Amino acid sequence: MHSTTSYFRSYWLLLILILNAVSFRSIAQGTVTITGIVTSAGDNGTLPGVSVKVKGASTGATTNEKGVFSLRVPNLQATLVFSYIGFKQKEVSLGGRSSVNVALEEESKSLNEVVIVGYGTTRKKDLTGSVAVVGARDFQKGNMTSPEQLIAGKVPGVAITSNSGQPGAGSTIRIRGGSSLNASNDPLIVIDGVPVESSSVSGASNPLSFINPNDIESFTVLKDASASAIYGARASNGVIIITTKKGSSDKLRLTFNSVNSVSNVFRYINVLSGDQVREIVNASDKTALKARLGTENTDWQKEIYQTAFGSDNTLGFSGGVKNLPYRLSIGYQNQSGVLKTDNLQKTTLALNLNPSFFDKHLTVNVSLKGSAQRARFANTAAIGGAVSFDPTQPVTTNSPRFGGYFEHLDPTQQTGLYNLQGRNPVGLLYQREDIGKPLRSIGNIQLDYKFHFLPELRLNVNAGYDLAKGKGTVFVTDSAAAEYVLNGAGGLNNRYQQNRTNTVLEAYLNYAKDIRSIKSRVDVTAGYSYNDFKTKVFNFANYNARGEKYANSDPAFPYDIPQYRLISVFGRANYTFNDKYLLTVTVRRDGSSRFGENNKYGVFPSVAAAWTMKNEPFLKNVDAISTLKLRFGYGVTGQQEGIANYGYMAAYSLSQNTTTYQFGNTYYQMYRPGGYVANIKWEETATSNVAVDYGFLNNRINGSIEYYYKKTKDLLAAAPQAAGTNFSAVATQNIGNMENRGVEFSISAQPIRSKNLTWDASFNVTYNKNKITNLTLVPNDPNYFGAPVGGITSGVGGQTSQLNPVGGTRNTFYLFRQLYDALGKPLDGVFEDLNGDGVISLDDRYLSKIAVPEYFLGYTNNISYKKWSTGFVLRANLGNYLYNNNYSATGTFNQITGSAVVYNASANYLATGFRGSDFQVLSDYYLQNASFLKMDNFNISYNAGKIFPNGGNLQLSGIIQNVFTITKYKGLDPEVNGGVDNSLYPRPRTFSIGLNLTY
């Protein structure tokens, strides 16, 4: 365990670096000092952070929190250039003045703002697709171990759910409901032009955790096919483009961000106390169990959880040397989990170089990002164990056996342990070390050349890589009870390693020109993309804690090298007429090595049109309306993620040493065939949408409303194979169709904007309805009801709680209808005979509620008053239900007394008195409304202003994460992916103090 001091060691080291850098910083010398105030022409309010530069020189300054600037200039005839985001740039000649006050005019963001899209940029006013941009100013605040959490609740149509409260844990991201069943539903992530895989890296809990959130400038989300089809086969579930921060040609600037946090579990699963368990057992006829009762009242959940400390620090240097803008950042994060022994340490390094040559005709962007992690993964089996382990027993004993941890003993067995019984939750944590040490680097060099003989024509070449090395060791002491039974008191000392090498080479030509004679603008792009994905998975023998190899554990092969390639050509044409009528046509042809020769290539087109109604004569002079645009789009995207690399071809695998064939006195490993589907092909999703973008009062009120319809055909789904037709009982093939339709609405407003007070608010809501229209090779097969999903624990083995039903919504619950007595108490094992045959069987289950929310809502509120600012983020999911597997698995009398030892139970047993029949776990009694309203984040900050004689700005903040949850759900947390709640790693409540220093 780390002491509290170790968490803040990096904070002091980085602060020393800042002070040293400040002390040696050179100050540009001038001859005359110019002072002044910069205000907004609209409301006369002062503007902090305005860039003030001397035209033709590198000398510059920024306004302070009161809009005041001070700048040395060569002489009083110099020209100053004032620039500020959202305002028109202004040049002012001094004309002999030593003091000058300037008022900047606002410009409509929709006019000239440049938006990053696939393979290039476009003006926001020329967009025809559904594109959302979230900048650093609007990110969620606090201790973030993974970057996607920055935009949770910020974008309509995008649902981001953290998978657990573990440090570095990833999130499930769904854009407009997802488009597949068994293939991937994850969006494509592009980081500074490098498409990255969403698959995990060995030794890391989340592939995106390698990116330092403090290095990110913006997220651009491409939601519809007309926006994302340029990425073709990887864009069925949308695209998220992450752009990192870059340097400028300005003077050296230092930034230091530090967030130090304390996290706690604030809610526990309600279970019985030791006294309650003793009362129940003593009242039973279980004589043997009565003798095994202890005298303690151990709260195992409080024994396994802790107060967790964390520190996240980033030091950044940015500026420019002649024609070489640069930004370098170094980050270090040390975050413990609320589950004891859980810890993540992460070091990141990022470098961006952006020089230009040949009078800015050639621009070079070099982006390098590296990360090294050291993670100790706590044994999450302790979470379920803490709910069910005997609360009448102590944590430790005086016995030296099993490391001193209490375990249930059986003197009649050689091992002294009851087989298949629960293990001491605290022992599970401290007697196992799962250490991962992954490394990852993502980088690219992008050359953009504007031809001298034709400046409207550009050539862009991008070469990038994504390298990862995941390795680690799982060590379990030979005294651990779990390994005592499994491996003869040997423990474990096993290695794992995975090397991944992904490369990308892309090139495209772009021609953009305004043809004023015909009031037109054309923007045409054509390009080529090559992606190679290769992984080397090492296979190791198994060893005990003493380093002795277990028998028959040698791998059949020392390593595997799965690999696939994606080669594509693409084109896009944008046409704008008279700044009113816009048309975009896109096509991409992808070839994937995951498909056979006849199905290797897929063509994915899209078309979109927009009408800028604001520029029509009847609206052009209506000052109240700032923006009004009508958009239409249709496109097709592909899908091949989540399927096997070689699923279309016959393959043989070598058996393990434990499965051999004896011939004479020799044992031989055998090759056996695997299942395959030769004619597997692309899954395709067609999307159509219509939208209105609006803005009023100089866009102080703005937003959009959009309807979309997505239809996926040739679903890549795991389907049963007829006996004798394949070498596998289940194989992935193209089978069935699915639809998603919905409406997105967003609105942002600035109700108050004055000199001292500003109020910004934004709200978004998404309605999404999913429907599976077919899941068989033969359409509308009346004999096929749906595919079972939603596995649960307890009950008869292999039970599931949900169906993917034909004609219904994915993850629909499929359960018995519980019957109740006159007082409303559920009857144990008594259900409605829905088919009327007089027998309760599995055929009496019915389709009921759904696990997937139908409505997603997000609200962001920010208020600034003088030097103070405060804000919060609210999220809500509506229409979704959860199966409470903690209730069903542990809330029965048999749970407590039905084994050779005593178990704990859910306190729900006191309300039901269930004994625990085989079918009881399939009761809709356990189905609970999981709609919720959450405050993800509340923050307050204070801008202390200049803290050094020659500059430097300090901002302090206080942040609370996971502030509150309002829900009817009776379990630990209503936000659970998949709809089945069982042993969720709790999301903690986190209190943070943040420091931001710029110089």
Side-chain angles (χ1 to χ4, degrees), residues 203-256:
S205 56
N206 170 24
L208 285 180
S209 66
F210 292 90
I211 305 300
N212 187 341
N214 292 299
D215 288 331
I216 296 177
E217 180 71 29
S218 67
F219 288 80
T220 301
V221 184
L222 313 181
K223 294 186 286 185
D224 69 342
S226 63
S228 63
I230 192 73
Y231 288 105
R234 308 183 69 189
S236 281
N237 299 298
V239 180
I240 297 179
I241 301 173
I242 298 176
T243 304
T244 60
K245 297 175 182 176
K246 295 178 174 58
S248 66
S249 58
D250 203 349
K251 59 185 179 180
L252 173 65
R253 184 180 183 186
L254 288 85
T255 61
F256 176 58

Side-chain angles (χ1 to χ4, degrees), residues 801-882:
S801 60
Q802 302 165 350
L803 274 185
N804 283 334
V806 176
T809 299
R810 63 190 301 172
N811 293 99
T812 298
F813 289 99
Y814 190 50
L815 302 165
F816 291 111
R817 179 167 288 151
Q818 178 72 49
L819 294 182
Y820 300 80
D821 64 16
L823 298 177
K825 183 177 181 180
L827 300 171
D828 191 4
V830 182
F831 311 108
E832 187 173 347
D833 182 11
L834 292 179
N835 63 4
D837 64 358
V839 179
I840 298 299
S841 67
L842 294 176
D843 293 333
D844 288 306
R845 292 175 294 174
Y846 75 106
L847 292 171
S848 57
K849 305 296 185 179
I850 60 176
V852 181
E854 290 187 317
Y855 294 90
F856 301 89
L857 297 89
Y859 177 75
T860 301
N861 191 85
N862 291 292
I863 296 175
S864 297
Y865 177 71
K866 294 185 177 179
K867 294 185 177 183
W868 292 91
S869 63
T870 184
F872 61 82
V873 177
L874 293 171
R875 282 190 306 113
N877 287 3
L878 303 177
N880 56 304
Y881 280 71
L882 266 182

Side-chain angles (χ1 to χ4, degrees), residues 145 167-168 333-336 342-346 373-375:
T145 58
Q333 183 177 48
N334 190 336
Q335 177 67 53
S336 290
D342 225 342
N343 178 260
L344 172 65
Q345 298 178 53
K346 178 172 65 176
Q373 296 185 9
R374 185 191 186 278

Side-chain angles (χ1 to χ4, degrees), residues 493-526:
N493 189 5
N494 293 340
R495 297 170 56 201
Y496 58 86
Q497 182 174 334
Q498 175 197 85
N499 296 345
R500 199 167 73 191
T501 306
N502 300 337
T503 55
V504 57
L505 176 63
E506 296 176 325
Y508 66 86
L509 285 167
N510 173 260
Y511 179 82
K513 184 175 179 61
D514 288 306
I515 309 174
R516 301 187 183 278
S517 59
I518 56 173
K519 301 180 180 179
S520 298
R521 175 180 173 83
V522 293
D523 189 335
V524 181
T525 300

Side-chain angles (χ1 to χ4, degrees), residues 50 69 126 134 156 165 251 254 315 353 494 522 621 748 757 963:
V50 176
F69 71 92
D126 291 338
V134 182
K251 59 185 179 180
L254 288 85
L315 178 63
L353 302 174
N494 293 340
V522 293
N621 295 320
S748 297
L757 179 63
V963 184

Side-chain angles (χ1 to χ4, degrees), residues 931-996:
S931 297
F932 67 81
L933 171 66
K934 283 190 174 188
M935 180 178 282
D936 276 347
N937 181 290
F938 175 83
N939 63 85
I940 185 168
S941 63
Y942 174 74
N943 190 338
K946 187 169 72 172
I947 61 173
F948 298 119
N950 296 319
N953 190 79
L954 176 66
Q955 182 168 311
L956 302 174
S957 59
I959 306 149
I960 307 175
Q961 293 168 258
N962 200 4
V963 184
F964 65 75
T965 301
I966 299 174
T967 182
K968 293 182 178 179
Y969 182 61
K970 299 176 182 178
L972 186 66
D973 192 323
E975 196 168 16
V976 178
N977 288 315
V980 177
D981 179 15
N982 182 21
S983 300
L984 175 72
Y985 191 127
R987 301 179 180 97
R989 179 168 294 147
T990 302
F991 299 86
S992 303
I993 295 176
L995 176 152
N996 177 267

